[in-house]
Amino acid sequence: MPLYEHVMIARQDLSSTQAEGLIEHFGTVLSDNGGNLVDHEYWGVKTMAYKINKNRKGHYAFLRSDAPAPAVQEMERLMRLHDDVMRVLTIKVDAHEELPSVQMQKRDERGDRRDRR
C-alpha cells in the first residue's frame, strides 16, 4: 500500500487531550477503510505565520499512514468537514523515516548548519 504523511492543524482553544483525541479519531477512520496509522506525533501548540480563521496559534499533529488512496481521501474529507480542524496537508512518500521528525528533535541533534557569513 502507498505510504503517506499528514500534518494537521487544529484550533487553539482545544485542550491537548482533545487534539490527541482527534488523532485517534482519524486513525480509526483510516483503519475502518482498510488503512493503517503507522505512527503519530503531537507537536503541541505553535504560532502560525499568518492568521487562519482569526486564529494565531494551533495544535499541530503529524501522522504517518499506510493506506489505500480511497481511505486517505475519506480521512481528508472528514478532516475538512470537522469544525476543529483548520488545515490539512497530505504528502505521498516512498518510505517512512524511523527517527522522530525534525520538529521533535532537539536543536543539538538536528545536525550541523553552515556558518553565518
Side-chain angles (χ1 to χ4, degrees):
M1 280 191 275
L3 303 175
Y4 295 94
E5 291 182 352
H6 316 273
V7 177
M8 173 181 70
I9 305 174
R11 291 183 322 162
Q12 67 183 5
D13 55 348
L14 297 176
S15 67
S16 60
T17 56
Q18 288 174 324
E20 290 177 1
L22 283 175
I23 296 170
E24 293 174 8
H25 170 69
F26 292 120
T28 57
V29 169
L30 279 177
S31 62
D32 290 345
N33 291 309
N36 183 19
L37 185 64
V38 176
D39 188 21
H40 68 276
E41 294 176 356
Y42 173 66
W43 290 348
V45 178
K46 297 198 175 285
T47 304
M48 296 183 280
Y50 55 91
K51 287 184 180 181
I52 300 174
N53 300 336
K54 299 181 182 178
N55 291 311
R56 278 266 180 219
K57 295 182 179 183
H59 290 273
Y60 280 70
F62 178 67
L63 309 163
R64 291 183 179 120
S65 66
D66 181 11
V72 173
Q73 290 172 351
E74 178 66 15
M75 184 186 75
E76 284 184 333
R77 184 185 74 81
L78 292 174
M79 282 182 169
R80 286 191 193 101
L81 291 175
H82 204 284
D83 291 335
D84 294 334
V85 177
M86 295 189 297
R87 288 285 192 272
V88 178
L89 174 70
T90 300
I91 299 173
K92 185 176 179 181
V93 295
D94 294 330
H96 290 304
E97 294 182 16
E98 295 299 322
L99 297 174
S101 64
V102 175
Q103 290 288 326
M104 296 300 287
Q105 293 176 3
K106 295 180 184 175
R107 282 195 188 269
D108 300 337
E109 299 172 359
R110 288 187 189 171
D112 296 332
R113 293 185 179 180
R114 60 185 175 100
D115 294 332
R116 288 187 172 180
R117 297 180 186 182

